[in-house]
Amino acid sequence: MSSAISARVQALGLALEPAGSPAANYVSRVQVGDLLFISGQVPRKGDQAVWLGRVGDTLTEDEGRQAARQAALGVLAHLADAVGDDLARVLRVVRLGVFVACTPEFNRQSAVADGASDLMVEVLGEAGRHARTAVGVASLPRGVAVEVEAIIQIES
C-alpha cells in the first residue's frame, strides 16, 4: 500500500487537484501545534464549482453524496500539500464538518455526509475515522450542494 496520499486517491480512480486558494479574506488552512484546520472546501473541477443546487430539490441524495466526496477531495488536497503528500504524517482525522444545502424537508444530511467520511477512510485507513457534524443549510457559496471542513492531527 502506498505511503503517498495522492497515490491512494489515484488507486480509487480519483485525482487530487492542486489545493485551491481561498475565495475571500481567510486562509485555506492553519496549523496549530499538531492540529491542521482546513477551511471549508466545495466540490470543484479546476476553478469551476460543480454539483450546484440543493439536495431534495435539484439534486438527489446520491448526488449529494457524490458532491460531498468531491468536496472531500479538496480537503485531501490541502492535507497532502501540508504534509508533503506523506501519509505517515497523518495521525488522525479528528473531525469533519459537512454542510448540505437542502430543502427544509430533507433530513438525511448524515447520509450525504457519508460521501466525505467514506472517502477519508478509503484513503487514510483507520486514521481517517473521525467525529463529524452534518448540518442542513439554505444555501452555500457559489450555489454548491455541499461544503466540507476538517480538523486533522498531523505529525509536525
Side-chain angles (χ1 to χ4, degrees):
M1 196 170 286
S2 176
S3 62
I5 295 167
S6 60
R8 299 283 294 271
V9 169
Q10 188 175 17
L12 295 171
L14 303 170
L16 289 183
E17 296 193 23
S21 299
N25 189 18
Y26 63 92
V27 294
S28 298
R29 65 180 186 258
V30 172
Q31 185 174 346
V32 178
D34 65 350
L35 293 178
L36 182 66
F37 295 78
I38 300 175
S39 295
Q41 301 297 303
V42 300
R44 64 181 181 86
K45 295 278 187 177
D47 289 334
Q48 188 73 29
V50 295
W51 294 110
L52 306 178
R54 293 189 320 153
V55 179
D57 180 19
T58 57
L59 297 173
T60 66
E61 181 180 311
D62 186 58
E63 289 170 324
R65 284 178 55 86
Q66 292 174 51
R69 187 173 177 90
Q70 187 71 34
L73 280 172
V75 169
L76 289 171
H78 281 284
L79 174 61
D81 192 50
V83 299
D85 202 22
D86 185 359
L87 182 62
R89 290 190 55 206
V90 179
L91 301 177
R92 180 88 191 220
V93 177
V94 177
R95 180 184 175 278
L96 288 185
V98 182
F99 303 89
V100 181
C102 58
T103 63
E105 301 78 25
F106 185 80
N107 63 6
R108 293 191 37 85
Q109 292 84 3
S110 184
V112 170
D114 283 344
S117 293
D118 292 349
L119 182 63
M120 292 297 149
V121 175
E122 289 170 23
V123 173
L124 305 173
E126 281 302 308
R129 297 201 182 281
H130 53 271
R132 183 181 82 192
T133 301
V135 179
V137 298
S139 67
L140 288 168
R142 297 178 169 185
V144 298
V146 179
E147 183 173 354
V148 178
E149 65 179 10
I151 301 170
I152 302 173
Q153 183 184 26
I154 61 173
E155 188 177 87
S156 297

